[in-house]
Amino acid sequence: MKKQITFALLLLCGLTFAQDNNASTVQDSVQNTKEIQEVLIKSQRKKQFVDKAVYSFDEEALKKARYANDLLQTLPELQFDPISSSISSIKGGKFLLLINGVESTELQARGIRPENVVRVEYYDNPPTRWATRADTVVNIITRNPEVGFAAGASASTALTTGFVNGQAYANYTNGRNNFGLEYSINFRDYDNRNANKVYDYVLQNSHYNTNENKTDHFGYTYQDIALRYTNSLMDNYVFQAKFSMNIFNYFSKGNGTSIFSKDNTSELHGTSQYSGESYNPPKLDLYFSKKLSKKDEISLNVVGTAYTSESFEIDKEWIISSGTPIFDNDMNLKAKQNSIVGEVAYTHDFKAGKLSSGYRISNNNVDNTLENLAGNFDYSVNYLTQYIYSEFAGKSKKLMYRLGLGVTNIHNKTAATTEDDWVITPKLILGYELKKNQSLRLTSSYTPYSPESSSLSPNINQVVPNIVSTGNPYLKIQKSWNNNLNYSYNNKYFDFNGNIFYNYTDNAINSMYVLYNNNTQYALTYENAQFSSRTGIQLVGSVKPFGSRLLVIKANIYPTMQRVKTNSGALLKNNYFGNNFTVSSEYKNFSLSYMFNIPVYTLSGAFLNTNENQNHIFANYKVKDWTFTTGMYWLGMPSRYKTKTLDESLVNYKGTTSIYNNRNMIIIGIGYDFAKGKKNEVNRKLNNDTAPAATF
């Protein structure tokens, strides 16, 4: 392994000193964009690079937008999610927003006036420093507007049920100093969620069937609080300290009946369920960047958090006629979690392109304490990951390229085993400009992933009579090879991306039912399958029949084949035709949108799960600094979620959950934003985050 590290460092040095004398100049800065800004706006709204698309906006779009967030919704790959009141990728996956290279929030983007947006960079192949954090990265590049104070607030609520989204923010600048405060809340309280669950299996030569119908009252509150201080001097240094808390609380309480059958006899059972979960991780994020010269910059980033998440479940089942208890689950879990991430990065601008190199180390320790009727269990896992990387991006005539090479060390330690693995992680992106509005791109990367703490934990959790769930502390890391061939085309009326993809994962982590406890029970647990794969075609884009925002049709269509070969050699198959659509219209200060999809089953371990159904219509009216919103979500239907097992499963399961509070749910909302004075912008090069909360 020392040879591999030495090779990577030698390659890094070689790239550093070999590229400086190449002829062509490729730079990506606010200053250069200002020079070509008029060309972009007048002749071409979209410019495709090897790893990103760059969008600029005409005068009409800038006038209609109230703040930068409105401009993001005009991108063909992005859409407004009315349920969470946030911007999301139409393709799904994790979405990360940056402002001038700094990890930001949509509330910060609301403080930016549209006329101060120079361009928006859309990364469908995020650079190395973001690649493990998100599937899609959007970077808003701004001028330094004369703004010293910006504030705003918005809220939307349902008329007949517990549904509230609220946001508020404030930013103040004085010289080199900037202070920011943000708060957001998502509140749900639904009392009419219905679920049907059917388990069917053979155990010790007897046939069992459980058919349960349950209605519950559930809800959650998610609050995000952030306090930020920045001290910066343009073209010299940036220091930023950010303290945040993500406060989450969840509860569910319900009752139901179950028909429990064994061979030819049946009993009517009563069921009750009560569960909850909470965590409030405080997080400190420190960042410093220093310009060493016009071409050299070094950046440091440290993120740390320490907290305890708690969850509980109380489930009971009894024979209604006699009151005899059948099933009892009383589970309490506490997970103490300490996480820290540190990174140092160096960039150098050459005539031929840009070199980025760095080292990242992250450590996440989770100590689980579980108490239930099966006993008390203590389980700890420590994740240590080191990553050394180097990446060069450049252009030669019509050929664009990005070459990356990294070395990843994953060191996972549990009470049962220790895994130490070194993996070479290359990445290749090639792009060729066919015409000014057409391009072809090839992407290939190899990346290792650690199993989650819940997958590794041997803690035993009661599910239903005769069935438990538990993790597997002997799981190994999985390694993914992802390949994409993308064709892009855009003009005044079309913005289209066609993508052929093939993703192969070795040692894929897969859930499955197995016989357990001397063949007296079944357990839902995990294994390292031989491999999993996804192959398909994805068509994403927008159509503007009139060449304007008067009518826009966005579509995401992705026929896909999934394959999993289990450790025993069984080949699991699933094919689906993924889809979602958005039809929108803008006229003066009024906008109208309609979103819909046809849910499909996707394979996830032992189960096939449908995505959330969509059938929403909502409208906005903007006047000066005010925005008024209304809409109706899940027209004519509840939100519905379906799950079932494959035919190969030892336990056959089918479940359907419907939230009737959501059906024909009417929402009204109001927002106000204000900005005045002078504001300094920050160009932050590193953005890290600690591990998410560990739950069972």
Side-chain angles (χ1 to χ4, degrees), residues 116-415:
N116 293 319
V117 176
V118 176
R119 69 183 188 273
V120 172
E121 300 173 340
Y122 174 88
Y123 289 89
D124 54 1
N125 289 291
T128 300
R129 62 181 181 269
W130 302 313
T132 59
R133 295 276 318 284
D135 302 290
T136 300
V137 173
V138 172
N139 188 21
I140 304 175
I141 305 297
T142 71
R143 300 181 185 86
N144 292 324
E146 295 297 320
V147 176
F149 181 77
S154 64
S156 59
T157 181
L159 297 180
T160 58
T161 191
F163 179 101
V164 177
N165 290 330
Q167 303 90 25
Y169 68 95
N171 287 291
Y172 174 72
T173 298
N174 184 1
R176 300 180 185 180
N177 304 294
N178 175 267
F179 301 87
L181 178 64
E182 300 167 20
Y183 174 76
S184 65
I185 182 172
N186 296 100
F187 171 79
R188 305 291 186 267
D189 192 334
Y190 297 142
D191 60 5
N192 192 9
R193 178 171 69 171
N194 296 344
N196 172 254
K197 298 179 180 180
V198 178
Y199 290 89
D200 190 273
Y201 53 90
V202 174
L203 185 63
Q204 293 185 324
N205 298 319
S206 292
H207 176 244
Y208 290 86
N209 183 279
T210 299
N211 191 329
E212 180 188 13
N213 288 285
K214 180 182 67 176
T215 299
D216 73 341
H217 177 198
F218 86 101
Y220 63 86
T221 303
Y222 183 87
Q223 301 176 82
D224 195 348
I225 305 171
L227 179 63
R228 183 182 63 259
Y229 168 72
T230 305
N231 185 298
S232 62
L233 181 62
M234 185 68 68
D235 296 324
N236 191 332
Y237 72 88
V238 173
F239 170 76
Q240 185 177 83
K242 181 179 179 180
F243 176 79
S244 62
M245 290 190 70
N246 307 112
I247 305 172
F248 179 78
N249 291 279
Y250 170 86
F251 75 91
S252 173
K253 191 171 186 178
N255 297 284
T257 59
S258 174
I259 300 175
F260 181 81
S261 301
K262 179 180 179 181
D263 296 326
N264 296 321
T265 62
S266 297
E267 296 173 339
L268 182 61
H269 293 181
T271 63
S272 68
Q273 167 266 328
Y274 182 33
S275 63
E277 181 182 330
S278 64
Y279 55 81
N280 55 346
K283 187 188 305 177
L284 182 62
D285 185 342
L286 301 176
Y287 173 81
F288 179 74
S289 179
K290 173 68 177 177
K291 275 278 190 181
L292 304 177
S293 67
K294 290 184 179 181
K295 295 184 178 182
D296 300 274
E297 185 173 5
I298 190 169
S299 304
L300 303 170
N301 184 214
V302 179
V303 185
T305 185
Y307 62 99
T308 299
S309 60
E310 299 183 1
S311 56
F312 69 89
E313 291 180 3
I314 301 175
D315 300 297
K316 298 182 183 297
E317 186 169 334
W318 63 94
I319 300 174
I320 291 179
S321 60
S322 64
T324 304
I326 296 297
F327 173 75
D328 199 351
N329 175 38
D330 190 348
M331 184 275 288
N332 288 275
L333 173 68
K334 289 186 178 181
K336 295 182 180 180
Q337 191 162 342
N338 300 285
S339 301
I340 189 167
V341 179
E343 184 172 4
V344 57
Y346 168 78
T347 61
H348 181 82
D349 292 323
F350 294 95
K351 292 181 180 180
K354 188 172 186 177
L355 175 72
S356 302
S357 304
Y359 169 75
R360 181 190 305 134
I361 182 171
S362 65
N363 189 81
N364 180 34
N365 182 266
V366 183
D367 186 5
N368 293 293
T369 301
L370 178 71
E371 298 178 0
N372 61 22
L373 298 180
N376 298 334
F377 305 90
D378 292 320
Y379 178 74
S380 297
V381 58
N382 190 85
Y383 298 91
L384 175 65
T385 302
Q386 301 180 77
Y387 183 40
I388 305 170
Y389 62 88
S390 182
E391 185 175 75
F392 188 83
K395 183 178 181 180
S396 177
K397 297 181 179 179
K398 291 187 176 183
L399 178 66
M400 302 172 285
Y401 58 90
R402 200 175 97 196
L403 307 175
L405 181 64
V407 180
T408 302
N409 171 234
I410 295 179
H411 185 89
N412 296 338
K413 184 178 181 180
T414 71

